[in-house]
Amino acid sequence: MAHIIWSNDLSVGIEIIDSQHKRIVDYLNELDDARLKHSRDVVGGVIEDLIDYTQSHFGFEETLMEEAGYPYVNAHKKIHELFIRRINEYHDRFKLGDDVTEELHRTLTNWLVNHIKREDNDYSSVVQVHTARGKVDLEPETSGWLGGALKRFFGKRK
Ligand SMILES: [Fe+2]
């Protein structure tokens, strides 16, 4: 499967979320590279990083939705939970020796693209309205919650 090229139709219009989605796309491309090189160790490492980063991203996204008072946050959280469960299942199969990489790559790619275009775009308009009204502050210099949320979810990484 080819690399995913980021394009503007994947943008949700929120810079910080777009940059996290781009990082997930990078991981998926890394997974594809590792698969082609047939290095099982590298594939395993990328799957672990991907799960870890995606969990951090979901946590951050959920906090942002809550901050904005997005009404469907619980439904969105359920979708995230199901997704994490699904990647973990792939990871378990991988650890048992199954060659899941191609299927995992395809599933994650399709899921991510659809999720960004549908569910993420749906909360994005609400967050943008609240940002414009000054209720959600996404400026790192002035925002109280943003730095805390980034540290909480991505702290060990940056
Ligand atoms: Fe999401």
Side-chain angles (χ1 to χ4, degrees), residues 31 34 39-51 91 94-95 101:
L31 184 65
S39 160
R40 222 186 118 76
D41 280 357
V42 177
V43 170
V46 176
I47 294 176
E48 275 164 31
D49 288 348
L50 180 66
I51 293 174
H91 192 210
F94 173 83
K95 285 188 283 190
T101 324

Side-chain angles (χ1 to χ4, degrees), residues 58 61 76 80 115 120 123:
F58 285 170
E61 209 177 58
H76 200 126
H80 285 169
H115 182 66
D120 287 349
Y123 81 71

Side-chain angles (χ1 to χ4, degrees), residues 30-149:
E30 274 177 43
L31 184 65
D32 198 44
D33 288 344
R35 179 181 70 85
L36 293 171
K37 285 178 201 146
H38 295 295
S39 160
R40 222 186 118 76
D41 280 357
V42 177
V43 170
V46 176
I47 294 176
E48 275 164 31
D49 288 348
L50 180 66
I51 293 174
D52 188 53
Y53 189 86
T54 304
Q55 259 168 333
S56 299
H57 163 66
F58 285 170
F60 179 81
E61 209 177 58
E62 289 162 10
T63 302
L64 179 61
M65 284 185 255
E66 274 159 9
E67 178 78 11
Y70 178 62
Y72 306 112
V73 63
N74 284 333
H76 200 126
K77 274 184 184 176
K78 288 231 167 66
I79 294 169
H80 285 169
E81 260 170 46
L82 277 174
F83 182 67
I84 291 293
R85 206 181 303 158
R86 204 154 171 201
I87 326 183
N88 278 319
E89 279 165 12
Y90 276 112
H91 192 210
D92 289 344
R93 280 175 52 199
F94 173 83
K95 285 188 283 190
L96 288 171
D98 272 9
D99 186 9
V100 295
T101 324
E102 199 175 347
E103 196 187 331
L104 173 65
H105 185 265
R106 195 180 336 114
T107 306
L108 291 191
T109 302
N110 290 338
W111 186 88
L112 182 74
V113 169
N114 287 328
H115 182 66
I116 290 175
K117 287 185 179 170
R118 290 188 212 135
E119 288 94 13
D120 287 349
N121 249 314
D122 193 65
Y123 81 71
S124 144
S125 49
V126 174
V127 170
Q128 288 183 69
V129 166
H130 284 271
T131 308
R133 288 183 187 152
K135 283 186 188 164
V136 173
D137 189 355
L138 287 170
E139 294 302 320
E141 300 81 31
T142 51
S143 169
W145 77 274
L146 180 65

